[in-house]
Amino acid sequence: MTQENGFAVFSPTYRRETAGQFPGIREMWENHEHATLNEIATKSAQTRGRKILVEKCDVRTEFQKDRDRITHSKAFRRLKHKTQVFISPEGDHYRTRLTHTLEVAQIARTIARGLRLNEDLTEAIALGHDLGHTPFGHTGEDALDELLPGGFRHNEQSARVVELLENDGNGLNLTWEVVDGILNHRTACKPATPEGRVVQISDKIAYMNHDVDDAIRGKILSSSDLPGAIGQMLGETPSMRINFLVKNFIENSIGKKEVGLSEDVAKTMLELKIFLNNNVYANQLVHQQERKKISTMIRLLYEHYTAYPELLPSLSLTAADYIAGMTDRFAMKQFSEIFLPQAWEV
Ligand code: MG
């Protein structure tokens, strides 16, 4: 290996020199980050580190390693069967919490690359941001929030999953920057890194657009219901709107210390959020009936596991941890086994 303009360059004899090992590849990418990324970008070599010190990988940067730890976690696999908005949808084309997460990651990576921020850190935060989401989307979250004395917020639970619950109660031992981005992805929070900020906004860009798309698929909205001003500014289709918002974020952030959407676009996004709140998330009769059933089910499960903590699968879990970790179908299965008479099968 030799150095050239801050980059590690492979010499022709590299393979022989390294004798089958890969020393220097992570260092090469660390140098690459310093040489090419935006001055406000978070550099992996300068991470504040992990709670438990572990040897660095020869090949991957610290943030790449975190991305892989998240992707290989059980909580990540369970996102497949957790509701986004439509509760246990029968149709194959509705978003789940997993496809939402992947859409957030793609949008966030595009913005990060456009601004020369740390794409690996951005991706790790995006893939981990909803790991603590309850079953049944925000209906499930609201139900737990009412039951717990201190309330329940899925961003805090996501941080609890990666810090404590995953890996049989040992946590994933992620870097400080990834945990901060996961913990602070909600609107009311302020992430410490620009990459965390990118994920915070990308989450909204993703869900506002795919929730409109799914609401049209579910015949709750028709494309003409969207207020004209929103369509005129952001675009008429989900792909036009995502494209517009990504470009606005990048163009508005170039050369700035604080990254984000321009003020007028952020305001229109807020109008879209209010429109979705009124017309999709809360204002449907069928949805209201389902909400009541879900709240009752979560409450009964919570009371049951609080009364019989010995039924929890591990000592480190609370009733809320166990319920928040369930997929929609696992929660329904547990409810059925506990509260419904079971048919006798021989
Ligand atoms: Mg999300």
Side-chain angles (χ1 to χ4, degrees):
M1 299 275 284
T2 57
Q3 294 288 320
E4 196 175 275
N5 298 329
F7 287 78
V9 179
F10 293 112
S11 65
T13 54
Y14 174 74
R15 282 186 186 284
R16 189 158 44 78
E17 284 166 1
T18 56
Q21 298 297 308
F22 299 100
I25 292 181
R26 172 177 46 77
E27 287 92 333
M28 177 186 75
W29 284 112
E30 287 171 354
N31 289 339
H32 186 263
E33 287 181 3
H34 276 279
T36 61
L37 291 189
N38 190 320
E39 60 173 12
I40 63 164
T42 310
K43 317 296 188 297
S44 60
Q46 290 165 351
T47 172
R48 291 201 204 173
R50 308 172 187 280
K51 284 192 175 155
I52 301 163
L53 197 65
V54 287
E55 208 175 313
K56 288 187 174 179
C57 176
D58 290 336
V59 176
R60 298 164 300 163
T61 67
E62 288 292 83
F63 299 144
Q64 280 182 283
K65 197 165 161 178
D66 283 0
R67 176 205 58 200
D68 295 351
R69 286 179 174 202
I70 290 167
T71 316
H72 290 282
S73 69
K74 284 185 192 163
F76 185 77
R77 293 199 286 279
R78 290 198 302 270
L79 295 174
K80 179 183 172 193
H81 291 293
K82 288 190 176 194
T83 284
Q84 172 57 27
V85 169
F86 290 84
I87 293 157
S88 292
E90 287 295 323
D92 288 336
H93 295 141
Y94 290 98
R95 269 72 173 188
T96 64
R97 195 57 57 180
L98 179 62
T99 58
H100 159 71
T101 295
L102 296 175
E103 289 186 35
V104 175
Q106 289 304 96
I107 291 168
R109 285 179 59 192
T110 304
I111 294 174
R113 198 184 290 194
L115 288 170
R116 290 184 297 110
L117 295 174
N118 196 315
E119 199 175 331
D120 299 324
L121 171 59
T122 308
E123 186 179 23
I125 296 170
L127 293 177
H129 84 283
D130 269 352
L131 287 181
H133 220 295
T134 58
F136 308 111
H138 289 285
T139 310
E141 182 172 18
D142 292 345
L144 268 187
D145 188 39
E146 279 175 28
L147 290 165
L148 265 65
F152 178 92
R153 286 159 290 276
H154 79 269
N155 56 317
E156 290 170 9
Q157 189 67 16
S158 294
R160 188 168 157 80
V161 167
V162 297
E163 292 227 276
L164 179 72
L165 302 179
E166 259 299 320
N167 197 17
D168 300 325
N170 295 306
L172 297 176
N173 192 29
L174 303 180
T175 57
W176 181 88
E177 292 79 2
V178 174
V179 177
D180 172 82
I182 290 172
L183 177 64
N184 293 309
H185 79 268
R186 273 169 75 125
T187 313
C189 307
K190 192 171 186 324
T193 63
E195 289 82 2
R197 176 77 175 144
V198 168
V199 174
Q200 188 181 47
I201 305 293
S202 300
D203 186 24
K204 290 169 188 53
I205 295 176
Y207 77 68
M208 285 190 201
N209 284 293
H210 62 52
D211 291 354
V212 169
D213 191 44
D214 277 355
I216 293 170
R217 179 167 291 109
K219 299 194 171 29
I220 286 166
L221 286 182
S222 79
S223 44
S224 58
D225 291 338
L226 218 56
I230 292 174
Q232 269 169 18
M233 180 177 229
L234 305 182
E236 299 294 339
T237 66
S239 117
M240 284 164 78
R241 287 193 289 273
I242 292 172
N243 206 24
F244 175 84
L245 291 163
V246 165
K247 278 189 186 166
N248 179 273
F249 193 117
I250 294 171
E251 284 164 10
N252 185 58
S253 306
I254 290 172
K256 291 186 184 162
K257 294 257 184 259
E258 294 279 331
V259 297
L261 295 167
S262 66
E263 220 170 281
D264 54 338
V265 170
K267 196 165 154 270
T268 308
M269 281 276 279
L270 192 64
E271 285 165 24
L272 178 56
K273 176 79 194 292
I274 293 166
F275 171 81
L276 285 168
N277 277 344
N278 294 335
N279 295 279
V280 178
Y281 302 141
N283 199 23
Q284 315 142 42
L285 188 62
V286 178
H287 205 74
Q288 289 296 354
Q289 288 164 351
E290 292 303 308
R291 273 178 73 92
K292 274 188 203 152
K293 290 185 211 167
I294 288 161
S295 299
T296 307
M297 184 166 73
I298 300 275
R299 180 172 54 78
L300 290 171
L301 284 173
Y302 180 76
E303 286 167 359
H304 185 76
Y305 289 116
T306 306
Y308 304 102
E310 65 275 16
L311 297 177
L312 296 168
S314 99
L315 284 174
S316 58
L317 284 181
T318 64
D321 289 331
Y322 190 39
I323 294 167
M326 291 179 181
T327 59
D328 295 12
R329 60 184 192 174
F330 186 73
M332 290 193 281
K333 184 168 166 278
Q334 293 307 99
F335 181 84
S336 158
E337 281 177 14
I338 296 166
F339 295 107
L340 300 183
Q342 302 295 305
W344 186 266
E345 286 179 41
V346 182

